[in-house]
Amino acid sequence: MQSKISRQIKIKKILKKNYISSQEELVQYLANDGIEVTQATLSRDFRELGVVRTSATEGSKYTLTIDESGKQIRKLIAFEILNYEHNEHMVVVRTLAGRAQGVAHYIDKLNSEFIIGTIAGDDTVLIIPNSIKNISNLIEVIHKIMNEDQN
Amino acid sequence: MQSKISRQIKIKKILKKNYISSQEELVQYLANDGIEVTQATLSRDFRELGVVRTSATEGSKYTLTIDESGKQIRKLIAFEILNYEHNEHMVVVRTLAGRAQGVAHYIDKLNSEFIIGTIAGDDTVLIIPNSIKNISNLIEVIHKIMNEDQN
DNA sequence: TATAATTATGCAAAAAAATGAATGAGACGA
DNA sequence: TCGTCTCATTCATTTTTTTGCATAATTATA
């Protein structure tokens, strides 16, 4: 029996390549790969991975959503952000090298009313508030992201 | 604050702002923030976070390395990569939306002899081999990254 | 080199996460 | 409405991870 993460990696691959329309079906696919799990576990995996049922031409199938709502993504972002600073006009977030684009993308997708845009370099994200009056609200948003750890 | 991840986030912040030259010292800082841990735990945290002792002007201090060797980064990359495909000339890796830059950065830093460069869009990384003869070696590298989960 | 200071690690306990079995909940067609 | 199918959830259990303590190993210092 492999680890959870390797099972989830496998799930991503299978969903990408095959037409899977029920969790039980995926149980079979995984079994063929020597991974034994029950439907209950897949239900949880799907939630964590952000898998959704989409209606295809023939019936419906499961697809990977590339959305940013998964719990793992949130943890990931928290890990990537090192710190932040701000002045009266904007907030600058420092990230691990090469991760700024990803962090900015996540922040964009939050659709926060306080943010009108982000710009990302290699390890720096610039966040522009909709008003300088909202800098503090904006900081609160960032702070929350950094301390993301509730399950 | 209780979880490991939030403690490590805090550690990153503290190291960034303060001059910490021993693990015991950090124990104190954390205690001031209401986080109680022992030196043993910090020793392990440092390894996981890639914290190193650097010699500063006055003595030595601990610094965050922004390197790509940490175990957490490897797991993260494996999570971000969805799949890959290739033709005779190159390999194309698909990632979660907005994560391609980060993945490409990681791949660059591998300094693989088989890779002469990467180009990243939003969710796609193009990897160019040093020779078309090495496509298979290159694929092996990618494959290994995707299945990164040994502890 | 000897001593002190600091960090890493083996081990056991505690805490947290993952999992399966059973079952509840919801959708859908007969 | 009833029965069927599928997914989500609860509960109990197993497995894994985290952690502190004690101490070994290492590093710095006199």
Side-chain angles (χ1 to χ4, degrees):
Chain A
M1 176 58 123
Q2 308 252 29
S3 70
K4 181 184 173 185
I5 185 133
S6 60
R7 180 185 67 243
Q8 293 188 341
I9 288 170
K10 187 72 94 178
I11 289 173
K12 287 194 291 185
K13 287 184 199 167
I14 293 175
L15 290 183
K16 197 89 181 173
K17 281 202 183 126
N18 307 87
Y19 191 98
I20 304 289
S21 56
S22 83
Q23 297 180 356
E24 278 298 344
E25 208 178 329
L26 183 54
V27 168
Q28 290 308 312
Y29 273 83
L30 287 168
N32 291 342
D33 278 337
I35 299 179
E36 308 219 337
V37 274
T38 61
Q39 170 271 324
T41 299
L42 294 187
S43 171
R44 293 162 184 135
D45 281 342
F46 278 13
R47 185 174 25 147
E48 290 180 18
L49 291 171
V51 171
V52 296
R53 204 196 243 293
T54 56
S55 55
T57 38
E58 312 137 37
S60 60
K61 62 171 290 206
Y62 281 104
T63 329
L64 265 179
T65 58
I66 316 295
D67 82 357
E68 310 293 313
S69 60
K71 155 185 151 189
Q72 299 194 26
I73 288 280
R74 294 202 311 274
K75 281 195 174 182
L76 186 158
I77 301 290
F79 176 74
E80 291 176 319
I81 296 180
L82 292 179
N83 70 347
Y84 63 88
E85 307 212 46
H86 67 97
N87 63 14
E88 301 82 5
H89 306 291
M90 57 193 75
V91 179
V92 173
V93 173
R94 284 316 202 92
T95 72
L96 293 173
R99 318 301 301 177
Q101 298 278 346
V103 171
H105 185 271
Y106 175 82
I107 292 172
D108 278 341
K109 294 294 179 185
L110 290 179
N111 283 320
S112 165
E113 55 173 322
F114 307 125
I115 299 173
I116 57 175
T118 63
I119 301 176
D122 180 65
D123 63 359
T124 306
V125 180
L126 172 64
I127 307 174
I128 303 159
N130 64 336
S131 157
I132 60 171
K133 291 176 192 151
N134 281 327
I135 287 275
S136 62
N137 290 316
L138 184 43
I139 288 172
E140 201 177 320
V141 171
I142 304 303
H143 192 76
K144 210 164 161 188
I145 295 172
M146 288 186 67
N147 295 289
E148 183 70 55
D149 59 83
Q150 58 275 27
N151 297 316
Chain B
M1 290 247 206
Q2 48 277 80
S3 76
K4 181 184 173 187
I5 186 131
S6 59
R7 181 185 65 244
Q8 292 188 342
I9 288 169
K10 186 70 95 178
I11 290 173
K12 288 195 290 184
K13 287 184 200 167
I14 293 174
L15 290 184
K16 196 91 180 171
K17 282 202 182 125
N18 307 87
Y19 190 99
I20 305 290
S21 55
S22 83
Q23 297 179 357
E24 278 299 344
E25 207 178 330
L26 183 55
V27 169
Q28 290 308 312
Y29 272 83
L30 287 168
N32 291 343
D33 279 336
I35 300 177
E36 307 221 336
V37 274
T38 60
Q39 168 271 323
T41 298
L42 295 186
S43 170
R44 294 163 184 134
D45 282 343
F46 278 12
R47 189 184 32 197
E48 289 179 20
L49 291 171
V51 171
V52 296
R53 203 197 244 292
T54 55
S55 54
T57 38
E58 311 137 36
S60 59
K61 61 171 293 204
Y62 281 103
T63 329
L64 263 180
T65 58
I66 315 295
D67 81 357
E68 308 295 314
S69 60
K71 152 185 151 189
Q72 300 195 28
I73 288 280
R74 293 202 311 274
K75 280 195 176 182
L76 187 159
I77 301 288
F79 176 74
E80 290 175 319
I81 296 179
L82 293 179
N83 71 347
Y84 62 88
E85 308 213 46
H86 67 96
N87 63 15
E88 301 83 1
H89 305 291
M90 56 193 76
V91 178
V92 173
V93 173
R94 284 318 204 90
T95 71
L96 293 173
R99 316 303 299 180
Q101 298 279 345
V103 171
H105 184 272
Y106 175 82
I107 292 171
D108 279 341
K109 293 295 178 184
L110 291 178
N111 284 319
S112 166
E113 55 173 323
F114 307 125
I115 299 173
I116 58 174
T118 63
I119 300 175
D122 180 64
D123 63 359
T124 306
V125 181
L126 172 63
I127 306 174
I128 303 160
N130 65 335
S131 156
I132 60 171
K133 292 177 191 150
N134 281 326
I135 288 274
S136 62
N137 291 315
L138 184 42
I139 288 170
E140 202 176 319
V141 171
I142 304 303
H143 192 77
K144 212 164 160 187
I145 295 172
M146 287 186 68
N147 294 288
E148 183 71 54
D149 60 83
Q150 58 275 23
N151 297 317

